[in-house]
Amino acid sequence: YKRVSNFEIQIGQILEVKISPSEKIIAVSLLLNNNPTVYIYDILNGLSLKNIMDKFESYIKNIDFSVDSNYLILEDYLGGTFYFEIQT
């Protein structure tokens, strides 16, 4: 294992964490001040923050990646499913 020296995340309730099949991206679903938020981190660049996604109507309960790690799939507690292309 490689030790990560600095890794910052907002304080909130962590709902789900998922690492992409390519092991290059980690997605973290949080509840911050009643605002469902997903943080995307680049593992290969020292867990640098790649993107923050928010404005969801409900908490994100499931995170998944496509087999090729090019797409992020999120499911909320209202049954909504959201697809995002991961920019490399």
Side-chain angles (χ1 to χ4, degrees), residues 34-49:
N34 243 3
N35 181 25
T37 306
V38 176
Y39 281 69
I40 307 298
Y41 294 95
D42 185 338
I43 294 172
L44 299 180
N45 288 315
L47 289 173
S48 62
L49 183 61

Side-chain angles (χ1 to χ4, degrees), residues 2-71:
K2 180 181 175 186
R3 183 182 171 114
V4 177
S5 59
N6 290 323
F7 178 67
E8 294 183 21
I9 194 164
Q10 292 284 337
I11 295 175
Q13 180 182 1
I14 296 176
L15 303 173
E16 172 85 338
V17 177
K18 190 73 63 123
I19 297 173
S20 67
S22 67
E23 298 181 351
K24 295 179 180 178
I25 302 291
I26 186 169
V28 180
S29 170
L30 296 165
L31 184 59
L32 301 171
N33 299 321
N34 243 3
N35 181 25
T37 306
V38 176
Y39 281 69
I40 307 298
Y41 294 95
D42 185 338
I43 294 172
L44 299 180
N45 288 315
L47 289 173
S48 62
L49 183 61
K50 197 171 169 73
N51 198 356
I52 298 173
M53 301 182 305
D54 58 4
K55 310 292 187 222
F56 296 103
E57 292 183 23
S58 180
Y59 310 151
I60 301 300
K61 69 176 184 174
N62 290 319
I63 298 172
D64 209 350
F65 289 90
S66 60
V67 175
D68 61 7
S69 298
N70 290 327
Y71 295 92

